[in-house]
Amino acid sequence: MLLSSLRTNAEKYLWSNGEITKAITVKPTASILYTVFSINGKDTLRDSIFVKVLNFPDKPLIGFKDSSLYTVNLSKFAVNWYRNNLLLQVKNDTLKYPAEGVYKVAHGNGSQCWSVSDPIYLTNDYDSTKISFDILTFPNPSTGYFNLNISLAKKIAQDVMVKVIHTGGTILFDKSYFIYQSDYIKIPVDMPYGTKGQIVVAVTINNRTISKSHIIN
């Protein structure tokens, strides 16, 4: 932000932040009052300007789980949901059983400070149980690393849980991911070095789990 004194005939300038030029560049992180003294001989004029900083919330994300849309609202901002650009009468973090349409959510901490999510598309033919994935191991014999290529039915935000279990019962890998506006994700799986034998890879999305067995030589 550029601030400049309108006193064009002054010999010297002194700003409240210590600057001595006619114009200054500032980047305040909070609302603040700036004062400039315009000095011309024995005459000194004082001018002030108040800079108000609006703290916008981070851009919100929308997830889909248990037939509901939800937004992660850690700071407990005010929430507005929109369907097809029309404001819905829902003010909490979860929108249950949404109908077909284009949805957005806005988080706000005041009348002027709102951040809006990217749109998310829901269609009546959406089926969250349609999951497929491939296991690609490089190299085999393995160094404890392989890739999961997971394909989904629709481009929609979803929580994905991946678990790898050795047939002996030991859990080798257990992590959660968030897929946003994508129908494909590639997940690197890093297991303990020297893992060999049969493993079971389980992928869970919206309470639907698909498992595959895999041999590591």
Side-chain angles (χ1 to χ4, degrees):
M1 176 184 294
L2 181 67
L3 302 180
S4 180
S5 172
L6 298 179
R7 311 289 182 175
T8 58
N9 296 324
E11 297 174 352
K12 298 179 182 179
Y13 301 93
L14 177 61
W15 291 83
S16 53
N17 64 350
E19 298 286 342
I20 58 174
T21 56
K22 180 177 181 293
I24 62 173
T25 300
V26 296
K27 296 181 179 179
T29 57
S31 299
I32 186 173
L33 179 70
Y34 288 96
T35 301
V36 58
F37 295 92
S38 303
I39 304 169
N40 195 355
K42 295 183 179 180
D43 297 327
T44 300
L45 298 174
R46 173 179 174 174
D47 298 287
S48 298
I49 184 172
F50 182 74
V51 177
K52 184 177 182 179
V53 176
L54 301 178
N55 295 313
F56 285 85
D58 292 335
K59 185 177 183 179
L61 295 176
I62 301 176
F64 185 82
K65 187 176 182 180
D66 298 333
S67 301
S68 300
L69 292 174
Y70 69 92
T71 179
V72 179
N73 190 7
L74 297 178
S75 299
K76 299 303 177 184
F77 293 114
V79 174
N80 281 340
W81 286 95
Y82 296 85
R83 176 176 176 265
N84 299 334
N85 291 322
L86 297 177
L87 179 63
L88 301 177
Q89 299 302 313
V90 179
K91 301 298 182 182
N92 53 41
D93 297 346
T94 302
L95 184 62
K96 295 183 177 297
Y97 308 111
E100 184 177 37
V102 180
Y103 289 85
K104 293 185 292 186
V105 67
H107 290 180
N109 58 5
S111 60
Q112 301 178 11
C113 301
W114 288 83
S115 293
V116 182
S117 70
D118 291 329
I120 188 169
Y121 305 87
L122 288 185
T123 59
N124 288 332
D125 64 347
Y126 173 71
D127 184 357
S128 63
T129 65
K130 294 180 180 178
I131 314 168
S132 64
F133 67 90
D134 297 320
I135 302 172
L136 303 177
T137 305
F138 303 102
N140 198 355
S142 175
T143 59
Y145 174 88
F146 63 85
N147 287 323
L148 286 182
N149 295 329
I150 302 175
S151 298
L152 308 176
K154 296 287 183 181
K155 287 186 177 181
I156 191 170
Q158 298 182 81
D159 293 303
V160 177
M161 291 176 287
V162 176
K163 184 176 291 187
V164 179
I165 307 171
H166 196 272
T167 51
T170 303
I171 297 177
L172 304 174
F173 185 89
D174 188 1
K175 287 187 178 181
S176 297
Y177 301 86
F178 183 72
I179 302 178
Y180 184 66
Q181 293 292 340
S182 177
D183 56 2
Y184 174 81
I185 184 174
K186 183 177 182 179
I187 296 176
V189 178
D190 189 10
M191 297 183 302
Y193 179 81
T195 298
K196 296 183 182 299
Q198 185 174 12
I199 60 173
V200 175
V201 180
V203 176
T204 302
I205 300 177
N206 292 342
N207 297 319
R208 164 76 173 179
T209 301
I210 291 182
S211 300
K212 287 188 178 182
S213 61
H214 188 63
I215 300 295
I216 298 180
N217 296 322

